[in-house]
């Protein structure tokens, strides 16, 4: 009996611990710390289900403990047990079953209505004519980001880092470049799959400035866990300035080392996969590097964009993300440093 009570106590303690952990609002990736209307709907649905299920669990545990307690009293009592008439027993059992079934049906209907409401709000057609349109293509294992616009001069491509203005609905058109991926930014919206040969759409909105981490939520291969992205929500003026800079061609190399780095880049296998606008490099197999120096991370948010990490990634990316499609670069130390100087100047 003591062992059963200890087990029940451990379960209750674990439940309280989960509640405390999930109610913590901090963290860079937290679906119950919403920063937009989509995530807010999902958060309310989660808390509703968590609260109801917790109450049901507590009630079941209380009933279990009471039944164990009554059985213990009966076993140690010296008086003969009182026998309840069969009619009363049958009536009481029937009432318990009917009550439990009624409560279960009501709870399930509440969950159904709440889930339908949350799902409908996520797929509702909004007036996005004045919003922002972004095409996202998932690759193994990075994100291709293309900003669309009716003015061709405002169209540009970047990778793994999405900037959006605060308070503006953003429509994402999702494509699968090779296998099935799933686009998920927990603080801003639910997840949506990127399926090869099929176009899916998703909209989200950030109500407050911040940097929100997203990731692939569908297993897509060896480096699925290291396929992340950043969504940077910023004021409209700051976003406009960033977008204007992204539409420009690459910055010409200024120093001798940067010029040497550009020559090495254009004469190596780098041009077979990467594009740098304003140069002969125009391949779209890998991420566009036109403004790579202004990004916070490299390798799909695997490493911060520092000189040391760039050197490590360029020299042998397989040590960082085994199985990725970038080949090893056999560059001399001098050429490697020049290439890094050049890439860091692309802002």
């Amino acid at each position: 009996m003591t062992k059963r009570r200890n087990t029940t106590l451990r379960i209750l303690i674990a439940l309280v611990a989960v509640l405390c952990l999930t109610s913590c609002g901090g963290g860079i990736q937290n679906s119950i710390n919403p920063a937009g209307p989509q995530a807010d709907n999902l958060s309310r649905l989660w808390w509703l289900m968590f609260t109801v299920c917790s109450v049901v669990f507590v009630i079941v545990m209380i009933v279990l403990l009471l039944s164990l307690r009554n059985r213990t009293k009966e076993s140690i009592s010296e008086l003969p047990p009182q026998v309840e008439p069969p009619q009363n027993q049958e009536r009481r059992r029937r009432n318990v079953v009917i009550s439990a079934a009624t409560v279960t049906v009501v709870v399930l209907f509440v969950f159904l209505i709440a889930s339908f409401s949350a799902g409908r709000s996520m797929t509702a057609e909004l007036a996005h004519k004045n919003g922002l349109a972004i095409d996202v293509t998932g690759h193994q294992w990075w994100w291709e980001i293309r900003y669309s616009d009716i003015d061709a001069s405002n169209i540009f491509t970047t990778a793994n880092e999405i900037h959006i203005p605060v308070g503006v609905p953003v429509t994402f058109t999702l494509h699968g470049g090779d296998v099935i991926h799933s686009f998920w930014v927990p603080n801003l919206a639910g997840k949506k799959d990127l399926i090869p040969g099929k176009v899916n759409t998703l909209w989200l909105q950030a109500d407050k400035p911040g940097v929100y981490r997203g990731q692939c939520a569908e297993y897509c291969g060896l480096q699925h866990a290291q396929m992340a992205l950043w969504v940077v929500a910023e004021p409209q003026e700051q976003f406009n300035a960033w977008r204007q800079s992204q539409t420009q061609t690459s910055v010409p190399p200024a120093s001798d080392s940067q010029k040497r780095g550009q020559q090495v880049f254009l004469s190596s296998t780098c041009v077979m996969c990467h594009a740098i606008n304003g140069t002969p490099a125009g391949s779209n197999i890998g991420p566009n590097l036109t403004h790579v120096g202004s990004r916070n991370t490299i390798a799909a948010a695997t490493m911060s964009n520092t000189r040391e990490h760039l050197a490590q990634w360029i020299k042998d990316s397989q040590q960082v993300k085994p199985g990725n499609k970038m080949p090893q670069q056999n560059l001399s130390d001098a050429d490697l440093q020049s290439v890094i100087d050049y890439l860091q100047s692309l802002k």
Side-chain angles (χ1 to χ4, degrees):
M1 188 63 59
T2 303
K3 185 176 180 180
R4 290 181 179 178
R5 290 179 178 176
N6 290 339
T7 301
T8 304
L9 181 61
R10 291 192 186 99
I11 294 175
L12 292 174
I13 293 174
L15 179 63
V16 174
V18 170
L19 177 61
C20 292
L21 288 174
T22 54
S23 62
C24 294
I28 58 175
Q29 185 172 312
N30 189 342
S31 58
I32 55 175
N33 181 26
Q38 294 281 49
D40 188 54
N41 290 330
L42 293 177
S43 177
R44 288 200 300 267
L45 177 62
W46 189 93
W47 279 111
L48 171 64
M49 291 189 172
F50 179 81
T51 302
V52 173
C53 291
S54 298
V55 171
V56 171
F57 176 81
V58 171
I59 292 175
V60 170
M61 290 298 101
I62 292 174
V63 172
L64 176 61
L65 292 175
L66 290 177
S67 64
L68 294 175
R69 181 182 178 184
N70 292 336
R71 180 171 298 180
T72 303
K73 288 183 177 180
E74 291 176 0
S75 62
I76 63 176
S77 177
E78 297 180 354
L79 299 176
Q82 296 181 357
V83 179
E84 186 177 4
Q87 298 84 353
N88 294 345
Q89 292 182 6
E90 182 67 21
R91 186 184 305 108
R92 182 163 55 86
R93 291 171 182 171
R94 184 174 62 250
N95 292 339
V96 170
V97 171
I98 293 175
S99 300
T102 302
V103 172
T104 300
V105 171
V106 171
V107 169
L108 291 178
F109 265 100
V110 170
F111 282 169
L112 176 64
I113 295 172
S115 299
F116 179 79
S117 177
R120 186 174 183 179
S121 67
M122 294 178 63
T123 58
E125 294 293 335
L126 298 182
H128 289 169
K129 295 181 180 180
N130 297 325
L132 184 64
I134 301 176
D135 290 337
V136 177
T137 303
H139 301 277
Q140 290 177 311
W141 290 275
W142 62 283
W143 304 91
E144 180 182 353
I145 314 299
R146 184 176 184 269
Y147 283 73
S148 303
D149 197 90
I150 56 175
D151 185 352
S153 63
N154 291 329
I155 298 175
F156 63 91
T157 302
T158 182
N160 305 316
E161 189 172 301
I162 304 174
H163 287 242
I164 61 174
V166 173
V168 175
V170 183
T171 302
F172 289 89
T173 304
L174 308 176
H175 311 268
D178 35 42
V179 299
I180 297 177
H181 302 276
S182 186
F183 181 83
W184 187 32
V185 186
N187 295 79
L188 298 178
K191 62 186 69 172
K192 184 66 73 73
D193 285 348
L194 296 80
I195 304 173
K198 178 180 175 61
V199 177
N200 283 334
T201 58
L202 170 74
W203 78 270
L204 59 78
Q205 176 179 312
D207 291 334
K208 54 186 177 181
V211 180
Y212 306 100
R213 188 180 187 273
Q215 66 181 56
C216 178
E218 179 77 26
Y219 181 74
C220 56
L222 179 63
Q223 294 299 325
H224 159 71
Q226 297 197 76
M227 185 177 172
L229 59 90
W230 291 96
V231 176
V232 181
E234 52 198 2
Q236 185 70 54
E237 297 77 10
Q238 189 173 342
F239 169 77
N240 291 340
W242 175 85
R243 182 169 187 170
Q244 181 63 30
S245 67
Q246 295 294 309
T247 59
Q248 305 301 314
T249 57
S250 60
V251 179
S255 66
D256 292 339
S257 179
Q258 293 173 9
K259 293 177 182 179
R260 174 59 183 167
Q262 185 186 59
Q263 293 175 357
V264 173
F265 183 92
L266 296 177
S267 61
S268 68
T269 56
C270 299
V271 295
M272 299 177 64
C273 296
H274 298 285
I276 297 180
N277 299 347
T279 73
S283 178
N284 294 317
I285 297 177
N288 188 298
L289 302 180
T290 303
H291 300 288
V292 65
S294 63
R295 297 171 193 165
N296 295 315
T297 64
I298 59 174
T302 302
M303 300 185 296
S304 56
N305 192 0
T306 64
R307 189 176 189 88
E308 294 75 15
H309 288 159
L310 271 173
Q312 183 181 359
W313 179 255
I314 295 171
K315 193 171 184 178
D316 190 2
S317 64
Q318 299 302 322
Q319 291 186 357
V320 180
K321 294 177 74 171
N324 80 85
K325 297 179 181 179
M326 182 171 172
Q328 185 176 5
Q329 304 297 316
N330 297 317
L331 301 176
S332 66
D333 290 340
D335 286 346
L336 177 61
Q337 295 304 317
S338 295
V339 170
I340 294 173
D341 288 338
Y342 174 58
L343 294 178
Q344 287 193 319
S345 71
L346 299 178
K347 298 182 178 180

